[in-house]
Amino acid sequence: MSDLDSLFENNKRWAEAIKEEDPGFFAKLAKQQTPEYLWIGCSDARVPANEIVGLLPGDLFVHRNVANVVLHTDLNCLSVIQFAVDVLKVKHILVTGHYGCGGVRASMRDGQLGLIDGWLRTIRDLYYEHREHISSLPTEEEQVDRMCELNVIQQVANVSHTSIVQNAWHRGQSLQVHGCIYGIKDGLWKNLNVTVSGPEQLPPQYRLRPLGQA
């Protein structure tokens, strides 16, 4: 028996269950995708995007990477954001971290892991910036969890600073960037209340004029 046989069997049962509930589901899904949400989350296998927010395939456009980082040099992430905003016209970008994130924890330690160290460098910089606040928390778990929240808040800013998002606002497109965090221990998805809905909420040095405007 192939190592994948159980997965193929799981898939058959899943597809059959969906079709029993809605016989036309896959036919409708094949015609188009019209999600209102882009999820930017962590690659952690314990954080299944669709299930967490109770949405079916087609309802959530998803990008995941280690520690839900948005870098202005990451063409993969930026391409996903651009397609979601300009083509799919999503109305909400959900930057979602999770408590106990291994990537965030690694950025707070001095051990080397390899290539991932470079990827996590911006979180390490963020940790250094907030080191006094973080060190005031009594336990390592609380320190890591607070850094997970601060990382989400920073990534919301990074998304909002992109020309992709700001040009959408200049066009009058309805678009909000939200910061959220998921608790693996309780399964709850929490709003960090750092929603950005327009360029007026950004610091002046990060606001971009519309294209062609002198």
Side-chain angles (χ1 to χ4, degrees):
M1 177 181 288
S2 165
D3 291 340
L4 298 183
D5 283 348
S6 62
L7 300 184
F8 288 122
E9 288 302 318
N10 289 346
N11 170 253
K12 287 179 184 177
R13 286 194 292 270
W14 172 78
E16 287 168 1
I18 293 288
K19 284 186 284 189
E20 280 183 18
E21 185 173 334
D22 181 358
F25 177 81
F26 290 111
K28 290 182 289 186
L29 190 65
K31 290 179 181 178
Q32 63 179 345
Q33 61 168 339
T34 55
E36 292 191 5
Y37 308 96
L38 165 62
W39 173 288
I40 299 177
C42 183
S43 298
D44 193 300
R46 300 168 296 175
V47 189
N50 284 72
E51 286 98 335
I52 286 171
V53 290
L55 294 178
L56 289 169
D59 293 332
L60 194 67
F61 199 57
V62 177
H63 175 78
R64 296 170 69 175
N65 61 52
V66 175
N68 44 273
V69 173
V70 178
L71 300 177
H72 295 289
T73 53
D74 180 6
L75 295 182
N76 183 2
C77 183
L78 293 179
S79 295
V80 170
I81 295 173
Q82 188 268 325
F83 187 80
V85 171
D86 293 351
V87 179
L88 298 177
K89 307 293 185 185
V90 299
K91 293 181 172 61
H92 304 274
I93 299 176
L94 312 172
V95 180
T96 299
H98 67 93
Y99 290 121
C101 179
V104 171
R105 190 185 301 274
S107 72
M108 300 169 67
R109 294 175 172 175
D110 58 6
Q112 290 192 47
L113 296 176
L115 185 63
I116 191 68
D117 296 323
W119 177 257
L120 298 175
R121 174 59 187 269
T122 57
I123 306 179
R124 190 178 295 276
D125 293 340
L126 187 67
Y127 174 47
Y128 181 75
E129 179 183 346
H130 294 279
R131 63 193 182 280
E132 292 184 6
H133 165 57
I134 296 300
S135 64
S136 70
L137 299 174
T139 69
E140 182 187 13
E141 287 305 308
E142 289 175 279
Q143 293 174 4
V144 171
D145 285 350
R146 180 55 181 156
M147 269 305 303
C148 291
E149 293 178 341
L150 292 173
N151 181 47
V152 168
I153 293 167
Q154 181 60 57
Q155 306 317 319
V156 167
N158 289 350
V159 172
S160 303
H161 296 166
T162 64
S163 59
I164 301 163
V165 168
Q166 294 195 43
N167 284 334
W169 287 331
H170 293 322
R171 292 192 300 267
Q173 191 170 329
S174 176
L175 180 63
Q176 295 183 318
V177 185
H178 310 272
C180 306
I181 196 158
Y182 174 68
I184 293 174
K185 292 180 180 179
D186 60 14
L188 297 179
W189 189 55
K190 174 184 172 183
N191 189 349
L192 291 176
N193 297 311
V194 288
T195 294
V196 183
S197 305
E200 68 280 355
Q201 292 178 254
L202 304 179
Q205 64 267 34
Y206 291 108
R207 296 177 197 167
L208 303 173
R209 289 195 299 267
L211 282 170
Q213 186 179 104

